[in-house]
Amino acid sequence: MTKMKKLDDPVSVLPGVGPKKVVALNKLNINTIEDLLNAFPFRYEDFAARKLAEVNDQEKVALKGTVASEPVVSRFGRNKNRLNFRLLIEHEVIMVTFFNQAYLAKQIETGKEMAIYGKWDAKKQRLMGIKILAAAAEDELGGVYRSSKEIKQSQVKKLVAEAFQAYHELLVDLIPLALRKKYRLMSRVEMVRNIHFPDNATTAKLARRTGIFEEFFLFQVKVQYLKKHNRVADGIKLDYDLSKLKVLIAQLPFTLTAAQKRVVNEICADLHHDYHMNRLLQGDVGSGKTIVAAIALYAAVTAGFQAALMVPTEILAQQHAEKFAHLFKDLDVNLALLTSATLGRASQRKELLKNLANGQVDLVVGTHALIQDDVNFKKLGLVVTDEQHRFGVSQRQILRQKGHAPDVLMMTATPIPRTLALTTYGEMDVSTIDELPAGRKAIETIWLKNKQQEQAYAFIEKQLDNGAQVYIVSPLIAESEMMDLKNAEEVYLKAKKRLEPQYHVGLLHGKMKGEEKEQVMRAFKAQQLHVLVATTVIEVGVDVPNATVMMILDADRFGLAQLHQLRGRVGRGTQQSYCLLLADPKNEYGSARMKVMTQTNDGFVIAQKDLELRGQGDVLGSKQAGVPDFKLGDPVANLNVLQVAQKEAAQIVKDPMFTTGNQSELYRYVRRSLVTGMSFD
Ligand code: ADP
Ligand code: MG
């Protein structure tokens, strides 16, 4: 009896795929036939024979000619050999050399027409052979696949071919016919076939175009569906007490900006509805997100629910807890701080966990310690995450599951360029604080060479004389925390030597205990320390308005978003602030990045520039910026396709026919992939 074939059959159904190969394939993330068919080549080798005159030095090419000399094999070293022969191409004779492939000699006969793929050495007029092409049968383009030590890419390719042969009739079209016509796209079968085994460069390109559209389109259909689904009324309704919120707002030492008022209204409207709030609050550094969070959290408390604020570092948790304690001191809010430091003390831990579980604590501020297993809430109504880009999606998800579907507000100072808005945050509603509190002066940013450090110190000294406080950020050593620390200590000693005894210098780094960090931060806030040398632990959230100078060493080692965040630690008061970037960038890309920093303080502009520059400087750019990992499409380079796909997807999901009518194949696909868990990571 033959079993029904399914695309999710394991790869072991293919002939010759035993346990060893299964493991090797699994390591490449290929588990099923479908995975195999989706394991697209990441580039092509061009096997179409080229004209010698057009070939560049060191280029990989196929050359076609007539063998003009007997093959000669010479042996050297231990077990090494070299195979040489001459090839006549039109009127020129070149040398062809294969290393350690002496067995090829028997295929080479004088006078025979041959096509050989290899690397061209122009100086020596020599082709370093990679393989002999079976001139007639070979495709013009040969896909190159991801492979490993355990499984060669030629084997992967062979399996793809077998899988395609046996399963291609199961490939169904997910893009509706009308769209395929409108955008002149291939059917799914044709697309898959032509990506793996293109007849020529043109069909390969067309297939890829379809593939990119399909990938973005399916992603967007899921995102749009999720968004619509989230609006279903099975969340909680927070009946907050507006008069109490007004009391809180009236107590503030400042009036809210128009933008703050607007986003508070957007958030409160969501809280009041019985669907899940899933909202992103974006606002540049210093735009005043904390108070917006406080108002939202307080709203949840007045509605009789518990509320939680999750932040990425202990310093930040501490700082927010202190601010909130002050803010809510005359209001009826039972506030708690939960970090790994507070959880570390057994007695305190027990008490705290008990009070969260029995609902005694109204509002808790914490680090990721909040999402540990033994932390339970009685009635969690709202979760706010600050600087949420530091948390993974799964961490946010866990916290969300701790309540009965609490409303979620994520705050970020990393502005999202359109690309990210369309991908990473596509399923969320977005509120934007687009103005800074009045009276802020633009931070002046100056780029200096490393050898100008003394000048920088002279400047710092002058500012200190005027009563300012200063941050010095030590260079980022991404590879090792230990090196990071050593570096920070060196910078610290240097700063001490240069500025003490007149001024006091402190050190802050990630390896310090929570309590030590607290002490240092407190001393800096109290102006007992004038200069704070720090690693990037101060990157997020730290708020000391009297600090007006920021010096960043080896600034070119940091990402633009990170530099912007770091710089955001100054310019928080009414005094003129300065940011000194010390850097000797190694290339134009590095210089361009430094220039962007000196030219603008606008986080949105920086984020957009960042993506653009990364596109040129670093192929992994979009991945690092948090864009989901697409197989074919590049959301930055193919932004226009992404936009079209989003527009069409939104249209389709809106259509009531989507769940019932003739697009049911697409609908089934969406349901299936949402059940098996959709990852935006
Ligand atoms: P961020 O958005 O970077 O988290 P914060 O919430 O830390 O910014 O706010 C930055 C500073 O601005 C804080 O010292 C805060 O008290 C102050 N602030 C917030 N809103 C206003 C406002 N409307 N007017 C004046 N100052 C404000
Ligand atoms: Mg903040």
Side-chain angles (χ1 to χ4, degrees):
M1 195 183 93
T2 52
K3 255 184 41 200
M4 263 254 284
K5 281 196 273 191
K6 292 201 312 292
L7 284 171
D8 55 6
D9 285 345
V11 281
S12 57
V13 299
L14 294 174
V17 180
K20 263 196 186 154
K21 264 194 195 155
V22 168
V23 172
L25 286 166
N26 289 357
K27 274 194 198 152
L28 295 172
N29 272 333
I30 299 173
N31 301 300
T32 64
I33 295 293
E34 184 155 33
D35 295 338
L36 198 51
L37 293 177
N38 284 331
F40 297 125
F42 57 89
R43 66 181 173 85
Y44 298 97
E45 285 173 334
D46 189 354
F47 293 145
R50 298 262 302 276
K51 280 204 161 56
L52 202 51
E54 296 167 354
V55 180
N56 297 316
D57 187 32
Q58 301 304 314
E59 195 181 349
K60 284 184 180 169
V61 287
L63 293 176
K64 207 167 170 181
T66 316
V67 178
S69 74
E70 288 297 322
V72 177
V73 175
S74 46
R75 299 187 186 276
F76 63 101
R78 269 183 57 178
N79 299 328
K80 288 188 184 145
N81 61 63
R82 188 190 293 123
L83 163 67
N84 281 321
F85 61 93
R86 287 177 213 284
L87 192 70
L88 176 68
I89 304 173
E90 288 174 18
H91 303 291
E92 290 188 66
V93 175
I94 64 158
M95 185 63 88
V96 180
T97 302
F98 280 93
F99 278 109
N100 296 328
Q101 285 175 268
Y103 58 87
L104 293 176
K106 59 181 180 301
Q107 296 182 41
I108 296 152
E109 295 156 27
T110 315
K112 184 174 163 186
E113 280 265 318
M114 291 191 87
I116 292 154
Y117 186 71
K119 196 175 190 179
W120 178 239
D121 183 335
K123 222 164 70 203
K124 295 187 180 146
Q125 291 286 294
R126 181 198 296 265
L127 186 68
M128 303 305 296
I130 294 170
K131 68 174 178 178
I132 295 177
L133 303 174
E138 197 78 35
D139 299 324
E140 273 185 36
L141 283 187
V144 181
Y145 290 81
R146 281 185 60 219
S147 58
S148 65
K149 266 206 203 91
E150 292 94 20
I151 188 157
K152 285 195 299 192
Q153 77 105 5
S154 60
Q155 285 174 301
V156 177
K157 187 172 182 173
K158 191 169 148 266
L159 292 174
V160 170
E162 283 171 10
F164 185 79
Q165 187 62 37
Y167 284 84
H168 68 268
E169 71 266 25
L170 296 184
L171 291 170
V172 290
D173 284 309
L174 294 172
I175 306 176
L177 183 63
L179 286 186
R180 288 212 315 271
K181 279 199 176 137
K182 182 169 171 190
Y183 297 107
R184 277 175 259 121
L185 304 170
M186 289 180 179
S187 69
R188 183 141 226 273
V189 182
E190 280 308 288
M191 184 268 281
V192 173
R193 190 176 74 76
N194 279 292
I195 288 184
H196 287 296
F197 318 107
D199 296 329
N200 53 50
T202 313
T203 53
K205 215 164 140 185
L206 287 176
R208 217 156 254 271
R209 184 173 162 274
T210 298
I212 291 169
F213 184 92
E214 185 195 82
E215 198 172 24
F216 287 158
F217 175 74
L218 294 180
F219 181 81
Q220 287 297 339
V221 169
K222 284 187 277 191
V223 165
Q224 302 292 330
Y225 179 75
L226 210 57
K227 191 166 180 174
K228 190 172 152 187
H229 200 72
N230 277 340
R231 289 275 152 168
V232 172
D234 62 350
I236 34 185
K237 191 171 154 83
L238 297 173
D239 269 320
Y240 57 85
D241 187 333
L242 184 60
S243 61
K244 285 186 178 169
L245 294 193
K246 284 188 171 155
V247 170
L248 171 66
I249 293 169
Q251 279 180 8
L252 298 174
F254 46 75
T255 47
L256 296 178
T257 62
Q260 282 171 320
K261 281 185 201 151
R262 175 167 40 73
V263 301
V264 164
N265 283 332
E266 287 166 1
I267 294 164
C268 282
D270 270 0
L271 292 179
H272 208 260
H273 267 111
D274 52 7
Y275 52 67
H276 304 269
M277 171 164 78
N278 191 17
R279 188 171 283 278
L280 183 76
L281 172 59
Q282 57 169 343
D284 214 340
V285 276
S287 62
K289 294 184 291 295
T290 313
I291 188 61
V292 172
I295 295 168
L297 291 162
Y298 183 54
V301 173
T302 66
F305 284 84
Q306 290 172 295
L309 173 66
M310 185 158 84
V311 300
T313 67
E314 300 214 344
I315 295 177
L316 206 50
Q318 184 70 36
Q319 179 185 292
H320 279 320
E322 265 166 34
K323 260 197 190 161
F324 284 6
H326 182 71
L327 197 60
F328 296 123
K329 70 177 186 300
D330 299 324
L331 303 170
D332 191 18
V333 177
N334 194 350
L335 177 72
L337 173 66
L338 190 153
T339 64
S340 50
T342 54
L343 283 182
R345 302 179 200 110
S347 56
Q348 216 175 324
R349 172 196 180 89
K350 222 171 138 192
E351 181 74 10
L352 186 56
L353 294 182
K354 194 185 82 197
N355 290 336
L356 283 171
N358 67 18
Q360 280 278 309
V361 169
D362 300 313
L363 173 54
V364 60
V365 178
T367 57
H368 52 271
L370 267 176
I371 59 172
Q372 278 159 17
D373 269 350
D374 54 356
V375 180
N376 289 302
F377 294 85
K378 180 158 189 245
K379 211 180 168 194
L380 184 59
L382 172 66
V383 174
V384 178
T385 62
D386 193 10
E387 311 296 354
Q388 67 82 35
H389 60 284
R390 288 289 206 92
F391 291 111
V393 172
S394 54
Q395 283 175 313
R396 302 197 300 254
Q397 216 56 34
I398 293 174
L399 189 56
R400 178 170 214 163
Q401 282 152 11
K402 287 204 175 275
H404 172 72
D407 284 335
V408 173
L409 177 69
M410 298 171 194
M411 305 199 291
T412 181
T414 309
I416 35 179
R418 268 178 312 167
T419 305
L420 288 172
L422 286 172
T423 54
T424 315
Y425 301 115
E427 93 288 13
M428 290 196 240
D429 295 302
V430 178
S431 289
T432 306
I433 306 183
D434 52 7
E435 68 180 315
L436 295 178
R440 295 273 173 82
K441 291 196 180 74
I443 303 166
E444 203 174 306
T445 300
I446 303 149
W447 168 27
L448 298 170
K449 294 288 162 64
N450 281 324
K451 62 167 192 263
Q452 292 172 290
Q453 199 172 113
E454 180 42 41
Q455 257 164 279
Y457 266 110
F459 179 81
I460 285 173
E461 212 164 22
K462 215 170 87 202
Q463 295 299 315
L464 285 166
D465 291 344
N466 292 336
Q469 284 176 280
V470 178
Y471 296 105
I472 300 179
V473 177
S474 62
L476 177 77
I477 317 276
E479 304 81 46
S480 134
E481 255 182 77
M482 280 320 287
M483 286 290 286
D484 229 14
L485 178 55
K486 198 170 145 262
N487 242 284
E489 274 164 352
E490 256 165 44
V491 174
Y492 170 62
L493 290 179
K494 178 158 187 191
K496 253 172 119 73
K497 206 164 134 198
R498 182 69 178 72
L499 302 168
E500 286 192 344
Q502 209 170 348
Y503 298 107
H504 299 304
V505 182
L507 174 64
L508 189 71
H509 59 76
K511 287 268 171 194
M512 283 160 80
K513 291 225 176 65
E515 236 162 283
E516 290 176 275
K517 282 188 216 160
E518 243 167 67
Q519 258 171 20
V520 173
M521 274 321 290
R522 202 162 290 142
F524 189 62
K525 258 183 208 164
Q527 306 193 21
Q528 289 153 0
L529 291 174
H530 307 101
V531 178
L532 190 60
V533 174
T535 57
T536 51
V537 290
I538 60 150
E539 176 189 344
V540 287
V542 169
D543 186 33
V544 181
N546 193 51
T548 52
V549 182
M550 157 81 46
M551 172 161 81
I552 304 174
L553 300 174
D554 279 343
D556 54 328
R557 297 209 189 155
F558 296 90
L560 278 184
Q562 213 174 6
L563 286 174
H564 183 60
Q565 274 283 333
L566 285 167
R567 180 170 62 183
R569 296 314 108 214
V570 299
R572 303 178 82 81
T574 44
Q575 296 295 83
Q576 176 62 51
S577 287
Y578 302 92
C579 176
L580 309 176
L581 305 173
L582 272 79
D584 298 336
K586 284 179 212 62
N587 49 36
E588 258 173 61
Y589 167 59
S591 309
R593 292 169 61 244
M594 292 304 110
K595 277 194 202 120
V596 170
M597 289 302 295
T598 63
Q599 283 161 358
T600 181
N601 275 305
D602 184 330
F604 282 91
V605 175
I606 290 173
Q608 191 58 44
K609 281 266 183 263
D610 194 20
L611 273 182
E612 287 165 16
L613 285 172
R614 276 166 189 259
Q616 300 161 24
D618 157 19
V619 278
L620 289 173
S622 57
K623 204 175 260 175
Q624 285 166 10
V627 181
D629 198 7
F630 292 104
K631 281 199 170 71
L632 293 169
D634 173 344
V636 179
N638 312 124
L639 180 62
N640 54 343
V641 183
L642 182 59
Q643 282 170 324
V644 171
Q646 194 234 9
K647 195 187 80 193
E648 296 293 356
Q651 203 81 54
I652 282 183
V653 173
K654 237 185 263 157
D655 188 344
M657 287 286 279
F658 175 57
T659 49
T660 52
N662 52 10
Q663 274 143 17
S664 57
E665 198 62 63
L666 180 60
Y667 178 61
R668 272 203 297 277
Y669 165 82
V670 169
R671 294 294 308 173
R672 207 165 56 229
S673 40
L674 289 180
V675 168
T676 50
M678 179 171 179
S679 140
F680 289 98
D681 278 322

